[in-house]
Amino acid sequence: MNTNPYMKSFITGLVCPKCKKHYDHGQIQHLCDCGSPLLVEYDLHGAGKHINPESIKNRSANLWRYAELLPVQDEANIVSLGEGWTPLQKLDNAGKRYGFGRLLLKDEGIIPTGTFKARGAAVGISKARELNVEAVAMPTNGNAGAAWAVYAARAGIQAHILMPCDAPLITRNEIVAAGAHVHLVKGLISDCGKILARSLPAHNWYDASTLKEPYRIEGKKTMGYEIVEQLGWKVPDVIAYPAGGGVGLIGIYKALKEMRELGWIGEKLPRLVAVQAAGCAPIVHAFGKKAKESEFFSDSKTIAFGINVPKALGDFLVLESLYATGGNAIAVEDAEILESVLELARGEGCFICPEGAAVFAALKKLRAGEWIKSDETVVILNTGAGIKYPDTLSFDLPYCPVDGTV
Ligand SMILES: Cc1ncc(COP(=O)(O)O)c(C=O)c1O
Ligand SMILES: [Zn+2]
């Protein structure tokens, strides 16, 4: 029983954004019959009577401060490692150099597991526990698998993680250390997904593939709530995000619309920007053609492995968020990403992941082209820590002789 009024979730159900069919959130659900991902709906009117920006103010510094707008109904099911409420760092040096009014970095590198994937995993695993799931399974390029493995371990849920054999060793080790079953595949994440789909009928596994379970969006949407709350319940002009599956962007857009309906922000939303690597840019290509969906991006390749997603299930939702907010989509080369990693580490002390650095590289271009004006507030979503990418940078350094001086 839920006795704590603070923990009342105002979830009402699941809805298909394509055909509008409704589904019961009390049962395990995956995709809509029409093949679309499902989105969580809330009684926002009821939630608005129960909470407001003032009443949230003194709550604990993690994503569960928005519990009424999250899907977990019984507090006892929450599986948490303290995720969320990451800092919004000022990038004054970089901002000045490129003529930004206010440049901010939402730094997800300091979250448990070192990437924002912890948000989706915390909420996804908590809801899985509420639905009495005993085993989850998912394909991953590494970061999501690592996050789901540790949260599953904490929940006492078995995890089966399928990953490409060349996915980063550091995430593979995290997954094994957390006691999950790793299935290495000589192929891409898309091959892992196909193997999982073929294997599911033989097992009682909960399919936690990206957007095939509806709750990780809810975890990721809290980045949107936090950005706005940390800016004193004011929206920035631009939020730019490294889009792979695009779940974070879909989540942030959903959060903005919820806040607007709650009356916590005004009508105007930030312009959302999807940043991709030139070696894997299906959303950017689709945006250029004003298309509603993307096409499969063949032979994709980038050092920013988290955004190496050739065709996302929720591409139409990502594109909708860009069109609806007057946003943009832009691709950057791997060389520009590496340059940006070093620039932010040296100029700001922020050693961020290549995906986050891609966003900075893209924003420099958008500012130079005046798509971003000199008085605007711009938020870079850094999705992970640079230290989770030990092989991305390599420096040839000379040795100092042990009997020498420096
Ligand atoms: C560090 C990092 N950034 C960004 C992404 C892309 O996430 P999304 O699916 O929300 O687009 C990923 C996904 O693996 C990631 O690991
Ligand atoms: Zn549908």
Side-chain angles (χ1 to χ4, degrees):
M1 266 302 287
N2 186 4
T3 49
N4 183 354
Y6 161 52
M7 250 319 292
K8 178 172 166 53
S9 167
F10 283 82
I11 185 171
T12 54
L14 298 162
V15 67
C16 171
K18 267 199 175 148
C19 73
K20 311 297 173 208
K21 189 167 173 184
H22 284 82
Y23 290 85
D24 175 9
H25 64 94
Q27 316 258 317
I28 290 176
Q29 307 288 359
H30 293 292
L31 296 177
C32 177
D33 294 339
C34 78
S36 166
L38 297 172
L39 297 178
V40 180
E41 283 193 314
Y42 297 90
D43 167 15
L44 292 177
H45 184 70
K49 285 200 244 163
H50 191 77
I51 45 161
N52 57 51
E54 191 53 34
S55 65
I56 289 173
K57 202 164 81 185
N58 295 321
R59 289 188 177 177
S60 49
N62 59 56
L63 62 76
W64 299 102
R65 66 199 280 111
Y66 308 110
E68 287 83 351
L69 305 161
L70 292 172
V72 181
Q73 293 181 287
D74 187 341
E75 195 169 0
N77 291 321
I78 289 183
V79 184
S80 177
L81 293 163
E83 54 289 328
W85 204 248
T86 52
L88 207 46
Q89 306 282 14
K90 284 197 247 165
L91 300 183
D92 285 344
N93 296 331
K96 225 173 266 164
R97 184 170 326 131
Y98 295 99
F100 286 92
R102 184 155 63 142
L103 186 62
L104 303 165
L105 183 94
K106 177 73 171 160
D107 192 5
E108 297 288 298
I110 63 157
I111 212 166
T113 78
T115 77
F116 76 128
K117 296 284 181 184
R119 292 183 189 260
V123 175
I125 286 286
S126 299
K127 191 65 189 175
R129 178 143 94 175
E130 193 150 87
L131 293 166
N132 298 316
V133 167
E134 289 174 4
V136 298
M138 68 191 303
T140 182
N141 268 334
N143 286 333
W148 281 74
V150 300
Y151 281 89
R154 193 163 177 83
I157 291 176
Q158 212 183 75
H160 291 267
I161 311 287
L162 291 87
M163 66 195 303
C165 54
D166 58 359
L169 186 60
I170 196 164
T171 54
R172 192 201 292 184
N173 286 348
E174 269 179 287
I175 296 166
V176 177
H181 301 265
V182 176
H183 307 276
L184 287 182
V185 175
K186 283 189 180 161
L188 300 173
I189 186 172
S190 43
D191 299 304
C192 299
K194 285 177 200 152
I195 295 172
L196 176 58
R198 279 199 297 274
S199 313
L200 281 171
H203 303 279
N204 189 22
W205 294 347
Y206 177 75
D207 186 357
S209 308
T210 303
L211 294 182
K212 288 192 181 165
E213 67 79 43
Y215 301 107
R216 76 172 70 189
I217 298 180
E218 298 305 298
K220 290 190 180 184
K221 87 176 177 190
T222 57
M223 294 186 289
Y225 277 95
E226 287 180 23
I227 289 169
V228 174
E229 184 174 0
Q230 288 168 330
L231 290 173
W233 297 100
K234 289 200 173 58
V235 296
D237 296 291
V238 173
I239 299 176
Y241 180 85
V247 183
L249 210 48
I250 297 168
I252 290 170
Y253 180 53
K254 186 171 187 284
L256 290 165
K257 287 197 297 180
E258 286 173 3
M259 282 185 274
R260 186 167 65 182
E261 203 174 325
L262 284 159
W264 295 358
I265 59 172
E267 275 305 303
K268 190 169 166 272
L269 301 186
R271 306 192 309 276
L272 298 179
V273 178
V275 178
Q276 299 200 296
C280 184
I283 299 288
V284 176
H285 285 198
F287 184 83
K289 293 193 242 166
K290 298 191 173 57
K292 285 194 170 152
E293 288 184 17
S294 65
E295 283 167 27
F296 189 87
F297 196 100
S298 302
D299 303 320
S300 62
K301 195 171 183 316
T302 168
I303 53 163
F305 63 83
I307 51 174
N308 190 352
V309 180
K311 166 87 177 139
L313 196 56
D315 55 358
F316 69 101
L317 294 170
V318 176
L319 286 158
E320 185 196 316
S321 77
L322 306 181
Y323 298 137
T325 59
N328 211 334
I330 178 166
V332 292
E333 299 291 340
D334 278 4
E336 296 173 294
I337 295 178
L338 286 175
E339 194 184 296
S340 292
V341 168
L342 294 181
E343 198 177 347
L344 288 183
R346 291 169 184 184
E348 301 283 358
C350 297
F351 182 29
I352 67 174
C353 67
E355 293 81 357
V359 175
F360 178 51
L363 288 176
K364 286 187 269 187
K365 293 183 176 182
L366 292 175
R367 174 70 196 104
E370 285 286 331
W371 188 83
I372 293 172
K373 304 279 177 284
S374 62
D375 59 348
E376 294 194 305
T377 297
V378 177
V379 175
I380 297 175
L381 223 313
N382 172 45
T383 42
I387 52 173
K388 282 210 85 172
Y389 295 71
D391 305 319
T392 302
L393 297 175
S394 74
F395 302 103
D396 232 348
L397 300 177
Y399 287 102
C400 174
V402 285
D403 57 352
T405 54
V406 289

